[in-house]
Amino acid sequence: MFSLVYSVLLRPLPYREPGRLAVVLGSTPQRTGTFALPPADFLDYRAQSRSFSAMAAAELWSPSLTGDGEAEELPGIRATAALFDVFGVPAALGRTFEPADERADAPKVVVIGAGLWKRRFG
């Protein structure tokens, strides 16, 4: 029983300095509960923040991978460039996102996991 409680509730998150991570959600008097910040609010908070050393935003995303092989829906997230830096997770190969990737006219960039890379791209 202790192993289950430890692994689900007590074990530290597998990120650099997990005690320094925070989730920021929004709320309004007109809307019950909490919700993810609208992108414009996130950009304002990030630009004006003096309390956080870095901020990143992410949302669930389910892209379809097509091309060689059968089409496949993938689980994923869309994220701002700082996501990997905030969690202290480097790329095993290649690169993660860069601030220039956030520009509206920037080419689309994706970071994929080792399993997908091996399975679909050898």
Side-chain angles (χ1 to χ4, degrees):
M1 186 64 153
F2 177 76
S3 296
L4 177 65
V5 170
Y6 177 78
S7 64
V8 174
L9 300 175
L10 302 176
R11 181 179 58 197
L13 295 171
Y15 308 115
R16 178 187 67 207
E17 300 185 78
R20 297 190 59 185
L21 295 175
V23 174
V24 178
L25 298 171
S27 67
T28 66
Q30 298 81 19
R31 189 171 173 183
T32 60
T34 58
F35 54 88
L37 296 176
D41 288 354
F42 168 76
L43 294 174
D44 286 345
Y45 288 173
R46 183 174 68 177
Q48 298 173 24
S49 173
R50 302 294 175 256
S51 300
F52 298 103
S53 58
M55 292 179 74
E59 68 177 347
L60 294 177
W61 179 50
S62 298
S64 294
L65 176 62
T66 59
D68 294 341
E70 191 172 322
E72 180 179 359
E73 187 174 337
L74 302 172
I77 60 170
R78 291 178 194 218
T80 57
L83 183 74
F84 290 93
D85 293 333
V86 166
F87 285 102
V89 179
L93 183 66
R95 70 174 180 90
T96 58
F97 303 125
E98 298 173 350
D101 295 328
E102 291 184 4
R103 289 191 335 257
D105 63 340
K108 302 297 182 203
V109 177
V110 67
V111 176
I112 62 173
L116 175 63
W117 177 66
K118 290 176 185 175
R119 187 175 77 251
R120 291 294 294 255
F121 303 103

